[in-house]
Amino acid sequence: MDIVKRNFFRLLRSGAFDSNELIEPMSVFKWQKLYQFSVMHDVVAIAYKGIENCKLQFFLHMTDKQWQEWQKAAEEDRAKSHELSDEEDEFLRSDHLTNPVLNHKLQNILDDENSNTTTRQLLLSIVSVVRHILNEGLPIRQILMLGIYIQSQSKDIDFTTLRKWLESLRLMPMARLACEILIQYFGFHAEDLPFVDSKPDKNIERIAQELLDFTNTRSRDWYFSQDEDSIFVHNSNTSAMFSHVRRSARYFHYYPSEGLTNFFASFVHSLSHIEE
């Protein structure tokens, strides 16, 4: 992982969890790359809070213009309402799975008013992370929100019931992947995440890097469209489409029962962008 991404994760850990981090020295150009990375992943306010926590460090040097740019973007980010259920794309909503059998089970869980509300919300957060991994790469903001929620609500979460739900929905491998990212990149420990088995994935760094790279070609980049003055349908980004195919195949073993239906549902959803 290059220095920009290492500092990126340090700032996120500091901004989200108030951890003490030492920033590596970077050029003005690399600080600009880090800013762009933060914008792309929709975590500007969190990263900026990390910068404020580390601003007295000797190696944290930015131009006045960069400070102003960060501050303005962070204020705009904080002004927005970010709810886990409010997705930019309806297809990615966290209360829905594309596999009809699993989705039926999910709806039964969500409709059970006798179950723990805090635990149900955590399940929705995990489903949100899973939907993004399958379709858009590493959802850094969603994983941060997942970690913040677990940290702040752990006393009220029924981890035993959550584990049963994850097993029923066949979500355990994907939940374990998300938790491994929390451990490796955001300072969590296995005991903080008792709803998954502690089975470290030796390939987690490679997987995280692949998912980070995949986020640069989001699933909506391969939507089909049709020009107003043409009867022909074309794909907006052919390379992104094939990347999505490869990604679906590579992570199929983490969630096979949802992975296959999710890919075809993504394909059908992309057709909705064609003019009637």
Side-chain angles (χ1 to χ4, degrees):
M1 185 173 292
D2 63 45
I3 187 173
V4 175
K5 290 174 183 175
R6 291 198 300 271
N7 276 341
F8 175 64
F9 283 113
R10 289 185 180 108
L11 292 177
L12 292 181
R13 287 194 295 269
S14 177
F17 307 111
D18 290 320
S19 64
N20 295 318
E21 303 289 337
L22 291 176
I23 302 301
E24 294 182 69
M26 293 198 305
S27 65
V28 171
F29 173 75
K30 288 183 177 179
W31 274 109
Q32 189 62 29
K33 284 183 64 177
L34 195 153
Y35 170 76
Q36 293 168 351
F37 211 60
S38 300
V39 171
M40 182 179 73
H41 287 281
D42 195 22
V43 290
V44 176
I46 299 173
Y48 182 67
K49 183 181 177 184
I51 289 175
E52 289 184 312
N53 291 342
C54 302
K55 65 183 179 181
L56 297 180
Q57 291 187 25
F58 180 77
F59 289 121
L60 202 161
H61 292 297
M62 293 190 294
T63 66
D64 291 341
K65 182 179 180 181
Q66 285 178 316
W67 276 105
Q68 293 169 4
E69 187 176 33
W70 271 100
Q71 184 177 23
K72 180 181 178 181
E75 290 173 352
E76 292 174 351
D77 192 21
R78 294 190 189 104
K80 293 188 297 185
S81 175
H82 287 286
E83 298 292 339
L84 288 177
S85 58
D86 293 339
E87 302 290 357
E88 292 181 2
D89 193 326
E90 176 68 13
F91 178 71
L92 292 175
R93 71 181 197 267
S94 60
D95 62 346
H96 176 75
L97 292 171
T98 59
N99 183 298
V101 176
L102 296 180
N103 187 56
H104 179 70
K105 291 182 179 181
L106 175 62
Q107 300 312 313
N108 286 340
I109 292 171
L110 298 179
D111 291 341
D112 182 6
E113 296 181 356
N114 294 319
S115 63
N116 185 302
T117 303
T118 306
T119 308
R120 274 185 284 161
Q121 183 57 55
L122 178 54
L123 176 63
L124 284 173
S125 298
I126 294 172
V127 173
S128 176
V129 169
V130 170
R131 297 303 309 283
H132 278 79
I133 287 177
L134 288 175
N135 292 283
E136 298 204 334
L138 184 60
I140 291 181
R141 185 179 185 91
Q142 282 71 22
I143 287 181
L144 278 173
M145 294 300 103
L146 173 64
I148 292 170
Y149 190 82
I150 292 172
Q151 188 182 72
S152 63
Q153 304 294 328
S154 59
K155 293 181 180 179
D156 298 320
I157 296 170
D158 184 344
F159 289 113
T160 301
T161 297
L162 178 62
R163 175 186 284 266
K164 292 179 181 178
W165 288 346
L166 293 174
E167 291 173 346
S168 174
L169 296 170
R170 303 177 187 176
L171 268 168
M172 189 59 76
M174 289 294 282
R176 189 180 298 117
L177 174 61
C179 288
E180 189 67 20
I181 292 172
L182 282 173
I183 291 171
Q184 293 292 329
Y185 294 98
F186 296 110
F188 276 70
H189 301 283
E191 54 266 29
D192 300 324
L193 308 163
F195 55 94
V196 296
D197 298 325
S198 180
K199 296 180 180 179
D201 191 331
K202 63 181 181 180
N203 297 316
I204 189 64
E205 186 170 349
R206 175 185 58 79
I207 291 170
Q209 184 61 56
E210 289 177 347
L211 291 171
L212 277 169
D213 293 341
F214 184 55
T215 312
N216 292 321
T217 53
R218 308 178 80 85
S219 61
R220 54 179 167 268
D221 290 343
W222 62 276
Y223 284 160
F224 292 93
S225 60
Q226 184 178 33
D227 296 332
E228 293 182 0
D229 57 349
S230 173
I231 64 172
F232 296 105
V233 174
H234 60 84
N235 180 262
S236 55
N237 188 333
T238 303
S239 63
M241 181 180 69
F242 284 111
S243 179
H244 187 73
V245 172
R246 290 192 299 270
R247 195 68 47 185
S248 297
R250 182 167 298 176
Y251 296 100
F252 179 79
H253 70 282
Y254 281 98
Y255 203 3
S257 51
E258 171 71 8
L260 186 61
T261 56
N262 178 81
F263 176 74
F264 285 108
S266 299
F267 181 82
V268 172
H269 180 65
S270 73
L271 296 178
S272 66
H273 292 72
I274 300 175
E275 293 289 338
E276 293 292 338

